[in-house]
Amino acid sequence: MTDLQTSTTGLGSSDQAAGLRQLFGEGFARVWCLVSSLPGDPTVMVALGAANALRRAGQRVLLVDEVPLTNRNLLGGTPFPVRYDLGQAFAGSIGIEKVVKPVGDRLWYCVATKLRRAKEDKKARPPTLAQRLQAAGIDIDVVIVASTDPHRGTHQLFADDMEYILISGTDDEAISRSLHMVQELGVLFGGDPIPVLTVGGGSAEAGQASFDTLQERAYELMDQPLEHQGWVRAMQFASAEGEDASMLVPASLYRMMAGKIFPEGVVQDHNANAEAT
C-alpha cells in the first residue's frame, strides 16, 4: 500500500524543521483535518497518501485515523496495527508516547476511534494533541486527521488552531452526508466559507453540479457559504457479490491534498526531484 521504510528515528528526535518552528515561535505542529463524505477506505487512503507525499518532502507527519472500523471494507481494519487509542491518552489512562506509533521514515500513526466517546463521557480533557506532542518531545511538523464523522467538541481537543477541508462525493447520499458535516463545521468556521473538494461523478461538470447542490442546501438550511476547491475524478469498481461499488481515487489527489496542507513541503519535494533528474 505504501513504500514505507523501517523507521530510523525515534520519538522525540529533532530535525531542521523543528528548529525553524522554534526559531519563528511556532511551537506546535500544523494540524489539518480531512473531513470526508467518501467511504471509510478511500478517506483513509487519501489521508495516508497525503501524509506520504509530505514525509517524502522531509516533513514529519502524524496520521490520526478517526474512521470507525464499521465504515471500512477494503482494508479489513486499520492500515497499521495498533494497541492503544488516543481516547485513552486523553482520559489519562496511558501516556501519549504509547499511542503515537512510528510506522515509517518520518511517519507516525495513531487511531482516535474512542476519543469522541471519552469526550462525551467527560473523561477526555485538555491539553490538546498538539500540546501533548510538544510536551512529550514527539517532534511532528504536520498532523493529518482523517474523519468521516466530525464532531466539533472532539476536534477541539486536537489543536487550538485547526484547518479543515471537506472532501465531498457527488452522489445524493454523499451530498447528504456532506451537508451534515457542513452543519458540524459551520460553528468552527464562524460564517467563513468552508473549502470543499468534490470527488467522483465522471466529469468536471458533474462535480461542479454536485457542489452547487451542496452550496444551495447549505445556504438554505444554515446560511453557510462554501468555497469550491475543484474536482477530482474517481473510479468505481463493482464487487463480484453485487454489493455497492468501491471507489478508487487517483494518486494525484494525494499530492493535491499535501499541497493544500503544507505547500512549502511540496515545493521542497519538487525541487529535490528536479535536482535528482
Side-chain angles (χ1 to χ4, degrees), residues 148-185:
T148 55
D149 186 18
H151 179 245
R152 56 181 177 268
T154 302
H155 284 192
Q156 289 171 349
L157 293 173
F158 288 127
D160 293 329
D161 185 15
M162 188 170 174
E163 301 286 347
Y164 290 84
I165 186 167
L166 171 58
I167 302 175
S168 178
T170 54
D171 58 86
D172 291 340
E173 184 178 353
I175 292 175
S176 295
R177 289 196 299 268
S178 294
L179 191 63
H180 169 73
M181 295 172 184
V182 168
Q183 182 179 15
E184 195 67 28
L185 297 177

PDB file of all heavy atoms in Angstrom, residues 148-185:
ATOM      1  N   THR A 148     -14.680  10.721   8.953  1.00  0.00           N
ATOM      2  CA  THR A 148     -15.927  10.597   8.188  1.00  0.00           C
ATOM      3  C   THR A 148     -17.130  11.031   9.022  1.00  0.00           C
ATOM      4  O   THR A 148     -18.258  11.001   8.541  1.00  0.00           O
ATOM      5  CB  THR A 148     -16.151   9.148   7.715  1.00  0.00           C
ATOM      6  OG1 THR A 148     -16.108   8.270   8.850  1.00  0.00           O
ATOM      7  CG2 THR A 148     -15.085   8.735   6.702  1.00  0.00           C
ATOM      8  N   ASP A 149     -16.894  11.420  10.259  1.00  0.00           N
ATOM      9  CA  ASP A 149     -17.978  11.862  11.145  1.00  0.00           C
ATOM     10  C   ASP A 149     -17.427  12.887  12.125  1.00  0.00           C
ATOM     11  O   ASP A 149     -17.227  12.592  13.307  1.00  0.00           O
ATOM     12  CB  ASP A 149     -18.582  10.667  11.883  1.00  0.00           C
ATOM     13  CG  ASP A 149     -19.814  11.049  12.698  1.00  0.00           C
ATOM     14  OD1 ASP A 149     -20.400  12.121  12.435  1.00  0.00           O
ATOM     15  OD2 ASP A 149     -20.186  10.282  13.604  1.00  0.00           O
ATOM     16  N   PRO A 150     -17.178  14.108  11.660  1.00  0.00           N
ATOM     17  CA  PRO A 150     -16.543  15.110  12.529  1.00  0.00           C
ATOM     18  C   PRO A 150     -17.460  15.527  13.679  1.00  0.00           C
ATOM     19  O   PRO A 150     -18.676  15.611  13.533  1.00  0.00           O
ATOM     20  CB  PRO A 150     -16.299  16.280  11.572  1.00  0.00           C
ATOM     21  CG  PRO A 150     -17.365  16.144  10.535  1.00  0.00           C
ATOM     22  CD  PRO A 150     -17.537  14.661  10.348  1.00  0.00           C
ATOM     23  N   HIS A 151     -16.842  15.785  14.808  1.00  0.00           N
ATOM     24  CA  HIS A 151     -17.558  16.248  15.996  1.00  0.00           C
ATOM     25  C   HIS A 151     -16.758  17.406  16.568  1.00  0.00           C
ATOM     26  O   HIS A 151     -15.623  17.225  17.007  1.00  0.00           O
ATOM     27  CB  HIS A 151     -17.684  15.112  17.019  1.00  0.00           C
ATOM     28  CG  HIS A 151     -18.374  15.494  18.275  1.00  0.00           C
ATOM     29  ND1 HIS A 151     -17.755  15.512  19.500  1.00  0.00           N
ATOM     30  CD2 HIS A 151     -19.659  15.895  18.493  1.00  0.00           C
ATOM     31  CE1 HIS A 151     -18.614  15.899  20.424  1.00  0.00           C
ATOM     32  NE2 HIS A 151     -19.771  16.130  19.849  1.00  0.00           N
ATOM     33  N   ARG A 152     -17.339  18.603  16.514  1.00  0.00           N
ATOM     34  CA  ARG A 152     -16.552  19.797  16.850  1.00  0.00           C
ATOM     35  C   ARG A 152     -16.032  19.774  18.282  1.00  0.00           C
ATOM     36  O   ARG A 152     -14.940  20.273  18.559  1.00  0.00           O
ATOM     37  CB  ARG A 152     -17.363  21.066  16.597  1.00  0.00           C
ATOM     38  CG  ARG A 152     -18.699  21.160  17.300  1.00  0.00           C
ATOM     39  CD  ARG A 152     -19.398  22.463  16.933  1.00  0.00           C
ATOM     40  NE  ARG A 152     -20.722  22.582  17.533  1.00  0.00           N
ATOM     41  CZ  ARG A 152     -21.843  22.204  16.949  1.00  0.00           C
ATOM     42  NH1 ARG A 152     -21.789  21.664  15.739  1.00  0.00           N
ATOM     43  NH2 ARG A 152     -23.003  22.359  17.548  1.00  0.00           N
ATOM     44  N   GLY A 153     -16.802  19.191  19.211  1.00  0.00           N
ATOM     45  CA  GLY A 153     -16.327  19.110  20.584  1.00  0.00           C
ATOM     46  C   GLY A 153     -15.087  18.251  20.711  1.00  0.00           C
ATOM     47  O   GLY A 153     -14.164  18.573  21.457  1.00  0.00           O
ATOM     48  N   THR A 154     -15.055  17.152  19.949  1.00  0.00           N
ATOM     49  CA  THR A 154     -13.886  16.281  19.949  1.00  0.00           C
ATOM     50  C   THR A 154     -12.708  16.931  19.258  1.00  0.00           C
ATOM     51  O   THR A 154     -11.567  16.876  19.745  1.00  0.00           O
ATOM     52  CB  THR A 154     -14.223  14.949  19.255  1.00  0.00           C
ATOM     53  OG1 THR A 154     -15.318  14.340  19.919  1.00  0.00           O
ATOM     54  CG2 THR A 154     -13.029  14.011  19.279  1.00  0.00           C
ATOM     55  N   HIS A 155     -12.963  17.574  18.130  1.00  0.00           N
ATOM     56  CA  HIS A 155     -11.873  18.153  17.355  1.00  0.00           C
ATOM     57  C   HIS A 155     -11.205  19.330  18.054  1.00  0.00           C
ATOM     58  O   HIS A 155     -10.063  19.671  17.742  1.00  0.00           O
ATOM     59  CB  HIS A 155     -12.386  18.582  15.970  1.00  0.00           C
ATOM     60  CG  HIS A 155     -12.582  17.417  15.053  1.00  0.00           C
ATOM     61  ND1 HIS A 155     -12.790  17.551  13.708  1.00  0.00           N
ATOM     62  CD2 HIS A 155     -12.577  16.081  15.295  1.00  0.00           C
ATOM     63  CE1 HIS A 155     -12.920  16.357  13.150  1.00  0.00           C
ATOM     64  NE2 HIS A 155     -12.798  15.459  14.101  1.00  0.00           N
ATOM     65  N   GLN A 156     -11.881  19.941  18.995  1.00  0.00           N
ATOM     66  CA  GLN A 156     -11.254  20.998  19.769  1.00  0.00           C
ATOM     67  C   GLN A 156     -10.131  20.460  20.647  1.00  0.00           C
ATOM     68  O   GLN A 156      -9.308  21.236  21.150  1.00  0.00           O
ATOM     69  CB  GLN A 156     -12.302  21.714  20.619  1.00  0.00           C
ATOM     70  CG  GLN A 156     -13.256  22.571  19.791  1.00  0.00           C
ATOM     71  CD  GLN A 156     -14.425  23.115  20.584  1.00  0.00           C
ATOM     72  OE1 GLN A 156     -14.659  22.693  21.725  1.00  0.00           O
ATOM     73  NE2 GLN A 156     -15.158  24.047  20.011  1.00  0.00           N
ATOM     74  N   LEU A 157     -10.077  19.147  20.809  1.00  0.00           N
ATOM     75  CA  LEU A 157      -9.000  18.531  21.579  1.00  0.00           C
ATOM     76  C   LEU A 157      -7.726  18.353  20.752  1.00  0.00           C
ATOM     77  O   LEU A 157      -6.671  18.061  21.313  1.00  0.00           O
ATOM     78  CB  LEU A 157      -9.442  17.164  22.106  1.00  0.00           C
ATOM     79  CG  LEU A 157     -10.561  17.158  23.152  1.00  0.00           C
ATOM     80  CD1 LEU A 157     -11.001  15.726  23.431  1.00  0.00           C
ATOM     81  CD2 LEU A 157     -10.100  17.827  24.442  1.00  0.00           C
ATOM     82  N   PHE A 158      -7.810  18.510  19.434  1.00  0.00           N
ATOM     83  CA  PHE A 158      -6.630  18.301  18.604  1.00  0.00           C
ATOM     84  C   PHE A 158      -5.683  19.486  18.631  1.00  0.00           C
ATOM     85  O   PHE A 158      -4.471  19.322  18.733  1.00  0.00           O
ATOM     86  CB  PHE A 158      -7.053  17.997  17.165  1.00  0.00           C
ATOM     87  CG  PHE A 158      -7.656  16.634  16.982  1.00  0.00           C
ATOM     88  CD1 PHE A 158      -8.891  16.473  16.384  1.00  0.00           C
ATOM     89  CD2 PHE A 158      -6.991  15.499  17.420  1.00  0.00           C
ATOM     90  CE1 PHE A 158      -9.455  15.216  16.219  1.00  0.00           C
ATOM     91  CE2 PHE A 158      -7.544  14.241  17.257  1.00  0.00           C
ATOM     92  CZ  PHE A 158      -8.780  14.097  16.663  1.00  0.00           C
ATOM     93  N   ALA A 159      -6.224  20.691  18.483  1.00  0.00           N
ATOM     94  CA  ALA A 159      -5.376  21.889  18.425  1.00  0.00           C
ATOM     95  C   ALA A 159      -6.238  23.119  18.644  1.00  0.00           C
ATOM     96  O   ALA A 159      -7.445  23.108  18.389  1.00  0.00           O
ATOM     97  CB  ALA A 159      -4.654  21.986  17.094  1.00  0.00           C
ATOM     98  N   ASP A 160      -5.609  24.197  19.098  1.00  0.00           N
ATOM     99  CA  ASP A 160      -6.323  25.467  19.246  1.00  0.00           C
ATOM    100  C   ASP A 160      -6.629  26.084  17.894  1.00  0.00           C
ATOM    101  O   ASP A 160      -7.617  26.804  17.739  1.00  0.00           O
ATOM    102  CB  ASP A 160      -5.490  26.444  20.088  1.00  0.00           C
ATOM    103  CG  ASP A 160      -5.349  25.981  21.532  1.00  0.00           C
ATOM    104  OD1 ASP A 160      -6.279  25.317  22.039  1.00  0.00           O
ATOM    105  OD2 ASP A 160      -4.309  26.274  22.152  1.00  0.00           O
ATOM    106  N   ASP A 161      -5.789  25.808  16.911  1.00  0.00           N
ATOM    107  CA  ASP A 161      -5.962  26.360  15.569  1.00  0.00           C
ATOM    108  C   ASP A 161      -5.852  25.214  14.580  1.00  0.00           C
ATOM    109  O   ASP A 161      -4.758  24.742  14.278  1.00  0.00           O
ATOM    110  CB  ASP A 161      -4.898  27.429  15.289  1.00  0.00           C
ATOM    111  CG  ASP A 161      -5.106  28.117  13.956  1.00  0.00           C
ATOM    112  OD1 ASP A 161      -6.208  27.970  13.391  1.00  0.00           O
ATOM    113  OD2 ASP A 161      -4.179  28.799  13.477  1.00  0.00           O
ATOM    114  N   MET A 162      -6.992  24.764  14.074  1.00  0.00           N
ATOM    115  CA  MET A 162      -7.034  23.591  13.216  1.00  0.00           C
ATOM    116  C   MET A 162      -7.660  23.953  11.877  1.00  0.00           C
ATOM    117  O   MET A 162      -8.650  24.692  11.820  1.00  0.00           O
ATOM    118  CB  MET A 162      -7.851  22.488  13.895  1.00  0.00           C
ATOM    119  CG  MET A 162      -7.841  21.141  13.215  1.00  0.00           C
ATOM    120  SD  MET A 162      -8.600  19.899  14.321  1.00  0.00           S
ATOM    121  CE  MET A 162      -8.627  18.465  13.258  1.00  0.00           C
ATOM    122  N   GLU A 163      -7.078  23.455  10.792  1.00  0.00           N
ATOM    123  CA  GLU A 163      -7.583  23.732   9.448  1.00  0.00           C
ATOM    124  C   GLU A 163      -8.397  22.545   8.946  1.00  0.00           C
ATOM    125  O   GLU A 163      -8.140  21.395   9.319  1.00  0.00           O
ATOM    126  CB  GLU A 163      -6.411  23.985   8.487  1.00  0.00           C
ATOM    127  CG  GLU A 163      -5.517  25.152   8.880  1.00  0.00           C
ATOM    128  CD  GLU A 163      -6.163  26.494   8.619  1.00  0.00           C
ATOM    129  OE1 GLU A 163      -7.192  26.534   7.908  1.00  0.00           O
ATOM    130  OE2 GLU A 163      -5.653  27.509   9.121  1.00  0.00           O
ATOM    131  N   TYR A 164      -9.377  22.846   8.080  1.00  0.00           N
ATOM    132  CA  TYR A 164     -10.256  21.798   7.558  1.00  0.00           C
ATOM    133  C   TYR A 164     -10.402  21.915   6.051  1.00  0.00           C
ATOM    134  O   TYR A 164     -10.328  23.005   5.483  1.00  0.00           O
ATOM    135  CB  TYR A 164     -11.669  21.921   8.155  1.00  0.00           C
ATOM    136  CG  TYR A 164     -11.787  21.581   9.612  1.00  0.00           C
ATOM    137  CD1 TYR A 164     -11.507  22.535  10.589  1.00  0.00           C
ATOM    138  CD2 TYR A 164     -12.185  20.314  10.017  1.00  0.00           C
ATOM    139  CE1 TYR A 164     -11.628  22.236  11.937  1.00  0.00           C
ATOM    140  CE2 TYR A 164     -12.306  20.001  11.368  1.00  0.00           C
ATOM    141  CZ  TYR A 164     -12.031  20.965  12.321  1.00  0.00           C
ATOM    142  OH  TYR A 164     -12.149  20.659  13.658  1.00  0.00           O
ATOM    143  N   ILE A 165     -10.659  20.780   5.427  1.00  0.00           N
ATOM    144  CA  ILE A 165     -11.152  20.744   4.059  1.00  0.00           C
ATOM    145  C   ILE A 165     -12.146  19.591   3.968  1.00  0.00           C
ATOM    146  O   ILE A 165     -11.912  18.503   4.514  1.00  0.00           O
ATOM    147  CB  ILE A 165     -10.025  20.593   3.021  1.00  0.00           C
ATOM    148  CG1 ILE A 165     -10.602  20.718   1.608  1.00  0.00           C
ATOM    149  CG2 ILE A 165      -9.259  19.296   3.195  1.00  0.00           C
ATOM    150  CD1 ILE A 165      -9.536  20.897   0.535  1.00  0.00           C
ATOM    151  N   LEU A 166     -13.280  19.847   3.321  1.00  0.00           N
ATOM    152  CA  LEU A 166     -14.318  18.839   3.172  1.00  0.00           C
ATOM    153  C   LEU A 166     -14.187  18.183   1.804  1.00  0.00           C
ATOM    154  O   LEU A 166     -14.220  18.856   0.774  1.00  0.00           O
ATOM    155  CB  LEU A 166     -15.697  19.489   3.316  1.00  0.00           C
ATOM    156  CG  LEU A 166     -16.920  18.619   2.978  1.00  0.00           C
ATOM    157  CD1 LEU A 166     -16.947  17.362   3.838  1.00  0.00           C
ATOM    158  CD2 LEU A 166     -18.203  19.424   3.149  1.00  0.00           C
ATOM    159  N   ILE A 167     -14.004  16.863   1.804  1.00  0.00           N
ATOM    160  CA  ILE A 167     -13.964  16.086   0.567  1.00  0.00           C
ATOM    161  C   ILE A 167     -15.343  15.481   0.375  1.00  0.00           C
ATOM    162  O   ILE A 167     -15.775  14.637   1.160  1.00  0.00           O
ATOM    163  CB  ILE A 167     -12.888  14.987   0.632  1.00  0.00           C
ATOM    164  CG1 ILE A 167     -11.516  15.601   0.908  1.00  0.00           C
ATOM    165  CG2 ILE A 167     -12.860  14.184  -0.655  1.00  0.00           C
ATOM    166  CD1 ILE A 167     -10.420  14.580   1.114  1.00  0.00           C
ATOM    167  N   SER A 168     -16.048  15.921  -0.663  1.00  0.00           N
ATOM    168  CA  SER A 168     -17.433  15.519  -0.848  1.00  0.00           C
ATOM    169  C   SER A 168     -17.598  14.626  -2.068  1.00  0.00           C
ATOM    170  O   SER A 168     -17.108  14.943  -3.151  1.00  0.00           O
ATOM    171  CB  SER A 168     -18.326  16.756  -1.011  1.00  0.00           C
ATOM    172  OG  SER A 168     -19.672  16.383  -1.238  1.00  0.00           O
ATOM    173  N   GLY A 169     -18.285  13.495  -1.874  1.00  0.00           N
ATOM    174  CA  GLY A 169     -18.687  12.689  -3.006  1.00  0.00           C
ATOM    175  C   GLY A 169     -19.793  13.388  -3.781  1.00  0.00           C
ATOM    176  O   GLY A 169     -20.349  14.404  -3.329  1.00  0.00           O
ATOM    177  N   THR A 170     -20.136  12.855  -4.944  1.00  0.00           N
ATOM    178  CA  THR A 170     -21.065  13.556  -5.828  1.00  0.00           C
ATOM    179  C   THR A 170     -22.454  12.924  -5.896  1.00  0.00           C
ATOM    180  O   THR A 170     -23.366  13.532  -6.465  1.00  0.00           O
ATOM    181  CB  THR A 170     -20.489  13.616  -7.255  1.00  0.00           C
ATOM    182  OG1 THR A 170     -20.157  12.290  -7.685  1.00  0.00           O
ATOM    183  CG2 THR A 170     -19.237  14.474  -7.290  1.00  0.00           C
ATOM    184  N   ASP A 171     -22.650  11.730  -5.343  1.00  0.00           N
ATOM    185  CA  ASP A 171     -23.975  11.128  -5.383  1.00  0.00           C
ATOM    186  C   ASP A 171     -24.846  11.733  -4.281  1.00  0.00           C
ATOM    187  O   ASP A 171     -24.377  12.433  -3.382  1.00  0.00           O
ATOM    188  CB  ASP A 171     -23.875   9.607  -5.213  1.00  0.00           C
ATOM    189  CG  ASP A 171     -23.195   9.213  -3.919  1.00  0.00           C
ATOM    190  OD1 ASP A 171     -23.882   9.134  -2.889  1.00  0.00           O
ATOM    191  OD2 ASP A 171     -21.958   9.005  -3.931  1.00  0.00           O
ATOM    192  N   ASP A 172     -26.138  11.456  -4.346  1.00  0.00           N
ATOM    193  CA  ASP A 172     -27.090  12.073  -3.423  1.00  0.00           C
ATOM    194  C   ASP A 172     -26.798  11.717  -1.968  1.00  0.00           C
ATOM    195  O   ASP A 172     -26.899  12.574  -1.078  1.00  0.00           O
ATOM    196  CB  ASP A 172     -28.520  11.648  -3.781  1.00  0.00           C
ATOM    197  CG  ASP A 172     -28.989  12.239  -5.098  1.00  0.00           C
ATOM    198  OD1 ASP A 172     -28.393  13.252  -5.529  1.00  0.00           O
ATOM    199  OD2 ASP A 172     -29.942  11.686  -5.697  1.00  0.00           O
ATOM    200  N   GLU A 173     -26.438  10.465  -1.727  1.00  0.00           N
ATOM    201  CA  GLU A 173     -26.147  10.051  -0.353  1.00  0.00           C
ATOM    202  C   GLU A 173     -24.930  10.774   0.197  1.00  0.00           C
ATOM    203  O   GLU A 173     -24.914  11.223   1.351  1.00  0.00           O
ATOM    204  CB  GLU A 173     -25.930   8.540  -0.296  1.00  0.00           C
ATOM    205  CG  GLU A 173     -25.722   8.003   1.110  1.00  0.00           C
ATOM    206  CD  GLU A 173     -25.548   6.496   1.147  1.00  0.00           C
ATOM    207  OE1 GLU A 173     -25.718   5.854   0.094  1.00  0.00           O
ATOM    208  OE2 GLU A 173     -25.247   5.963   2.233  1.00  0.00           O
ATOM    209  N   ALA A 174     -23.891  10.918  -0.636  1.00  0.00           N
ATOM    210  CA  ALA A 174     -22.681  11.611  -0.202  1.00  0.00           C
ATOM    211  C   ALA A 174     -22.964  13.088   0.053  1.00  0.00           C
ATOM    212  O   ALA A 174     -22.437  13.682   0.998  1.00  0.00           O
ATOM    213  CB  ALA A 174     -21.584  11.456  -1.248  1.00  0.00           C
ATOM    214  N   ILE A 175     -23.791  13.707  -0.781  1.00  0.00           N
ATOM    215  CA  ILE A 175     -24.139  15.114  -0.583  1.00  0.00           C
ATOM    216  C   ILE A 175     -24.881  15.296   0.733  1.00  0.00           C
ATOM    217  O   ILE A 175     -24.648  16.258   1.475  1.00  0.00           O
ATOM    218  CB  ILE A 175     -24.966  15.636  -1.776  1.00  0.00           C
ATOM    219  CG1 ILE A 175     -24.093  15.701  -3.036  1.00  0.00           C
ATOM    220  CG2 ILE A 175     -25.544  17.019  -1.468  1.00  0.00           C
ATOM    221  CD1 ILE A 175     -24.854  16.093  -4.288  1.00  0.00           C
ATOM    222  N   SER A 176     -25.767  14.360   1.061  1.00  0.00           N
ATOM    223  CA  SER A 176     -26.491  14.427   2.336  1.00  0.00           C
ATOM    224  C   SER A 176     -25.519  14.317   3.510  1.00  0.00           C
ATOM    225  O   SER A 176     -25.644  15.050   4.504  1.00  0.00           O
ATOM    226  CB  SER A 176     -27.541  13.319   2.410  1.00  0.00           C
ATOM    227  OG  SER A 176     -28.543  13.496   1.429  1.00  0.00           O
ATOM    228  N   ARG A 177     -24.537  13.405   3.404  1.00  0.00           N
ATOM    229  CA  ARG A 177     -23.538  13.284   4.467  1.00  0.00           C
ATOM    230  C   ARG A 177     -22.696  14.559   4.559  1.00  0.00           C
ATOM    231  O   ARG A 177     -22.366  15.019   5.658  1.00  0.00           O
ATOM    232  CB  ARG A 177     -22.642  12.075   4.217  1.00  0.00           C
ATOM    233  CG  ARG A 177     -23.341  10.730   4.429  1.00  0.00           C
ATOM    234  CD  ARG A 177     -22.329   9.600   4.565  1.00  0.00           C
ATOM    235  NE  ARG A 177     -21.504   9.461   3.381  1.00  0.00           N
ATOM    236  CZ  ARG A 177     -21.781   8.659   2.355  1.00  0.00           C
ATOM    237  NH1 ARG A 177     -22.894   7.944   2.372  1.00  0.00           N
ATOM    238  NH2 ARG A 177     -20.973   8.572   1.330  1.00  0.00           N
ATOM    239  N   SER A 178     -22.353  15.125   3.413  1.00  0.00           N
ATOM    240  CA  SER A 178     -21.564  16.357   3.409  1.00  0.00           C
ATOM    241  C   SER A 178     -22.330  17.490   4.075  1.00  0.00           C
ATOM    242  O   SER A 178     -21.746  18.321   4.777  1.00  0.00           O
ATOM    243  CB  SER A 178     -21.195  16.748   1.975  1.00  0.00           C
ATOM    244  OG  SER A 178     -20.322  15.795   1.390  1.00  0.00           O
ATOM    245  N   LEU A 179     -23.630  17.540   3.842  1.00  0.00           N
ATOM    246  CA  LEU A 179     -24.440  18.589   4.446  1.00  0.00           C
ATOM    247  C   LEU A 179     -24.428  18.484   5.971  1.00  0.00           C
ATOM    248  O   LEU A 179     -24.355  19.497   6.680  1.00  0.00           O
ATOM    249  CB  LEU A 179     -25.872  18.497   3.918  1.00  0.00           C
ATOM    250  CG  LEU A 179     -26.789  19.677   4.235  1.00  0.00           C
ATOM    251  CD1 LEU A 179     -26.267  20.942   3.577  1.00  0.00           C
ATOM    252  CD2 LEU A 179     -28.206  19.383   3.764  1.00  0.00           C
ATOM    253  N   HIS A 180     -24.469  17.262   6.488  1.00  0.00           N
ATOM    254  CA  HIS A 180     -24.357  17.064   7.934  1.00  0.00           C
ATOM    255  C   HIS A 180     -23.003  17.553   8.441  1.00  0.00           C
ATOM    256  O   HIS A 180     -22.910  18.167   9.513  1.00  0.00           O
ATOM    257  CB  HIS A 180     -24.534  15.583   8.270  1.00  0.00           C
ATOM    258  CG  HIS A 180     -24.190  15.231   9.686  1.00  0.00           C
ATOM    259  ND1 HIS A 180     -24.981  15.566  10.760  1.00  0.00           N
ATOM    260  CD2 HIS A 180     -23.104  14.587  10.200  1.00  0.00           C
ATOM    261  CE1 HIS A 180     -24.412  15.141  11.883  1.00  0.00           C
ATOM    262  NE2 HIS A 180     -23.284  14.542  11.561  1.00  0.00           N
ATOM    263  N   MET A 181     -21.953  17.323   7.666  1.00  0.00           N
ATOM    264  CA  MET A 181     -20.622  17.762   8.064  1.00  0.00           C
ATOM    265  C   MET A 181     -20.508  19.279   8.022  1.00  0.00           C
ATOM    266  O   MET A 181     -19.848  19.887   8.874  1.00  0.00           O
ATOM    267  CB  MET A 181     -19.570  17.111   7.152  1.00  0.00           C
ATOM    268  CG  MET A 181     -19.520  15.600   7.299  1.00  0.00           C
ATOM    269  SD  MET A 181     -18.467  14.802   6.067  1.00  0.00           S
ATOM    270  CE  MET A 181     -18.757  13.077   6.455  1.00  0.00           C
ATOM    271  N   VAL A 182     -21.145  19.892   7.028  1.00  0.00           N
ATOM    272  CA  VAL A 182     -21.164  21.357   6.962  1.00  0.00           C
ATOM    273  C   VAL A 182     -21.819  21.928   8.216  1.00  0.00           C
ATOM    274  O   VAL A 182     -21.351  22.916   8.791  1.00  0.00           O
ATOM    275  CB  VAL A 182     -21.900  21.834   5.697  1.00  0.00           C
ATOM    276  CG1 VAL A 182     -22.178  23.332   5.756  1.00  0.00           C
ATOM    277  CG2 VAL A 182     -21.079  21.508   4.458  1.00  0.00           C
ATOM    278  N   GLN A 183     -22.888  21.312   8.652  1.00  0.00           N
ATOM    279  CA  GLN A 183     -23.572  21.757   9.862  1.00  0.00           C
ATOM    280  C   GLN A 183     -22.648  21.669  11.075  1.00  0.00           C
ATOM    281  O   GLN A 183     -22.635  22.563  11.930  1.00  0.00           O
ATOM    282  CB  GLN A 183     -24.821  20.907  10.100  1.00  0.00           C
ATOM    283  CG  GLN A 183     -25.634  21.321  11.315  1.00  0.00           C
ATOM    284  CD  GLN A 183     -26.867  20.465  11.503  1.00  0.00           C
ATOM    285  OE1 GLN A 183     -26.993  19.397  10.901  1.00  0.00           O
ATOM    286  NE2 GLN A 183     -27.791  20.919  12.321  1.00  0.00           N
ATOM    287  N   GLU A 184     -21.862  20.596  11.154  1.00  0.00           N
ATOM    288  CA  GLU A 184     -20.953  20.415  12.287  1.00  0.00           C
ATOM    289  C   GLU A 184     -19.791  21.397  12.236  1.00  0.00           C
ATOM    290  O   GLU A 184     -19.345  21.916  13.266  1.00  0.00           O
ATOM    291  CB  GLU A 184     -20.433  18.976  12.290  1.00  0.00           C
ATOM    292  CG  GLU A 184     -19.789  18.538  13.578  1.00  0.00           C
ATOM    293  CD  GLU A 184     -20.762  18.436  14.751  1.00  0.00           C
ATOM    294  OE1 GLU A 184     -21.960  18.192  14.525  1.00  0.00           O
ATOM    295  OE2 GLU A 184     -20.307  18.617  15.894  1.00  0.00           O
ATOM    296  N   LEU A 185     -19.298  21.683  11.021  1.00  0.00           N
ATOM    297  CA  LEU A 185     -18.137  22.563  10.876  1.00  0.00           C
ATOM    298  C   LEU A 185     -18.515  24.040  10.900  1.00  0.00           C
ATOM    299  O   LEU A 185     -17.654  24.888  11.153  1.00  0.00           O
ATOM    300  CB  LEU A 185     -17.414  22.261   9.558  1.00  0.00           C
ATOM    301  CG  LEU A 185     -16.806  20.869   9.405  1.00  0.00           C
ATOM    302  CD1 LEU A 185     -16.194  20.709   8.021  1.00  0.00           C
ATOM    303  CD2 LEU A 185     -15.762  20.603  10.485  1.00  0.00           C
TER     304      LEU A 185
END
